[in-house]
Amino acid sequence: LKLCLRSTNHWFICCRSLAYQPIERFLSTDTTVKHLEADQFIKGNIIYCEYQAMLTSDGTYRNVIVGQHYSWPVYDYAEGRGINATFSEISFFIQRNDTEVLIADKNNGCIRQLDRLTNITELFAGVCEKLRGYSDIVRDGNRLNATFRRINSLFLYKSTLFILESNAQRIRKLDLVSDEVSTVVTSENFTLSHHLPQTMVADSITGLMYVTTTYGLAVYNPTSDTFRYMVSYQQKGYQDGSLDASRWYYNNGMVYLPNNTLIIADINNGHLRIVNLKSENVTTWCFYNPKTLQNCTITKPMALAIIGCSLYVSTYQRISTIQIPESYCRSQITEDQMQWTSKLKNWVSNNNGETIGL
């Protein structure tokens, strides 16, 4: 299947510390991509999930790695190779290394492992059954005996896999050394019932973990085992300024940048918003404005990823890229990512934004 890249003339306003940059179309998709990363197995590609499939793309071609690429909900479960493996909904994934991928099968209530060398899946954690994620049973313990309720996302930090669940309204962790699952945060002790945990990132220096919730942001300290809401009034709305008094409307994707900065996808407000963790201040960076093209016209941003010095943003039926200053991403760049960023910049300059690949 051939796809095309297209650059646009849309521009966005950013906070004081970031300069004006264009937003460019990277890839057309069939729906809103839930999660994406740099592909560790095929260097230079991105890997992403939509519906019941995981795909890889270089921006021109896309290929299904595993699952069935339906354009409507299909609730099924089967282990297998490539398209013979079926999922209810791939909500998130984590690449443990070049060849091993952990996949959250949301509605089937489990985590599955994919071997990129063979494209064969197998059960990794949970009791995987058709629509098991809707069960009322939540159980800790050994990873193959634990049960999960509709997993939103995963986060791997050192030898611990954090699991954020919507229906269970809790954050749990899987110790990859002992294979034991335990509960970190529950709705009973932190009132998560209306503030479902969505995604998690970590500051590698302090070890603090930041969690987007439906209408705000929270921080978890694994050393002291404490959890704190950073937004007091957790009701839908829109307001910048002090983080404590800020208002949000269904957060999802989040990335952590050096200089204590978070970029968060505020889906229903249609904004990319920046949180300065030093000053605990919120600024709208990229926002939806259908009446003018002077600002970035972004609709319902979902997943975010930093690859090289590009911020990848998934919205409905597309993945776009935004260049960010090297001072914000230099410490995160690998040699492969720098080569890929350079290749993308050369493509844009050489093709003048014209459509190719049709």
Side-chain angles (χ1 to χ4, degrees), residues 113-302:
Q113 181 166 283
L114 169 69
D115 185 338
R116 293 293 300 275
L117 293 173
T118 61
N119 276 0
I120 293 177
T121 65
E122 63 179 351
L123 178 63
F124 182 79
V127 180
C128 214
E129 297 173 353
K130 183 177 179 179
L131 299 182
R132 179 63 184 246
Y134 289 95
S135 168
D136 292 332
I137 300 173
V138 178
R139 183 172 60 233
D140 288 341
N142 181 270
R143 64 179 172 89
L144 293 176
N145 191 48
T147 58
F148 303 98
R149 297 186 63 199
R150 303 196 75 219
I151 300 169
N152 271 344
S153 63
L154 307 171
F155 180 68
L156 183 61
Y157 187 71
K158 298 181 179 178
S159 61
T160 301
L161 180 69
F162 288 86
I163 303 155
L164 286 68
E165 299 168 77
S166 57
N167 277 31
Q169 299 167 6
R170 64 185 61 199
I171 300 172
R172 299 158 81 186
K173 63 181 180 181
L174 167 54
D175 187 317
L176 297 175
V177 177
S178 67
D179 281 346
E180 289 295 308
V181 175
S182 58
T183 298
V184 176
V185 179
T186 68
S187 59
E188 289 79 9
N189 51 4
F190 289 105
T191 320
L192 281 173
S193 57
H194 299 292
H195 319 297
L196 304 180
Q198 302 294 329
T199 53
M200 177 182 279
V201 298
D203 181 335
S204 60
I205 297 175
T206 65
L208 294 177
M209 300 182 178
Y210 298 94
V211 182
T212 54
T213 63
T214 311
Y215 303 130
L217 181 70
V219 59
Y220 171 65
N221 187 331
T223 303
S224 60
D225 195 29
T226 55
F227 185 85
R228 174 176 70 91
Y229 286 117
M230 304 180 77
V231 177
S232 293
Y233 189 65
Q234 296 225 7
Q235 298 293 329
K236 66 183 180 183
Y238 171 64
Q239 181 174 313
D240 280 343
S242 166
L243 176 58
D244 180 66
S246 63
R247 301 280 294 278
W248 309 73
Y249 192 6
Y250 206 91
N251 295 332
N252 192 69
M254 172 172 55
V255 292
Y256 179 87
L257 299 178
N259 307 326
N260 293 294
T261 302
L262 297 175
I263 301 178
I264 298 175
D266 185 343
I267 301 174
N268 286 346
N269 280 325
H271 302 331
L272 294 182
R273 302 174 72 181
I274 292 182
V275 177
N276 184 317
L277 294 170
K278 285 184 178 178
S279 62
E280 294 205 353
N281 188 71
V282 180
T283 308
T284 295
W285 182 26
C286 181
F287 57 94
Y288 176 58
N289 189 338
K291 296 181 181 179
T292 175
L293 298 183
Q294 292 178 347
N295 305 315
C296 170
T297 52
I298 192 165
T299 306
K300 294 186 179 298
M302 174 70 73

Side-chain angles (χ1 to χ4, degrees), residues 24 55 60 63 110 130 142 159 182 185 226 309-310 341 350:
E24 298 157 351
L55 302 93
T60 304
N63 295 295
C110 60
K130 183 177 179 179
N142 181 270
S159 61
S182 58
V185 179
T226 55
C309 275
S310 293
T341 301
N350 291 339

Side-chain angles (χ1 to χ4, degrees), residues 333-352:
I333 298 175
T334 65
E335 184 177 348
D336 287 332
Q337 290 173 339
M338 282 297 291
Q339 291 176 357
W340 175 230
T341 301
S342 176
K343 184 168 65 174
L344 179 60
K345 285 181 179 177
N346 290 337
W347 185 91
V348 172
S349 62
N350 291 339
N351 288 278
N352 241 354

Side-chain angles (χ1 to χ4, degrees), residues 44-83:
N45 276 21
I46 63 165
I47 182 173
Y48 64 97
C49 56
E50 56 177 320
Y51 294 123
Q52 294 87 18
M54 179 178 294
L55 302 93
T56 184
S57 176
D58 62 359
T60 304
Y61 302 95
R62 60 181 181 179
N63 295 295
V64 174
I65 301 169
V66 69
Q68 296 281 349
H69 194 216
Y70 299 115
S71 58
W72 60 91
V74 176
Y75 302 111
D76 207 351
Y77 164 67
E79 304 293 359
R81 182 195 302 272
I83 61 173

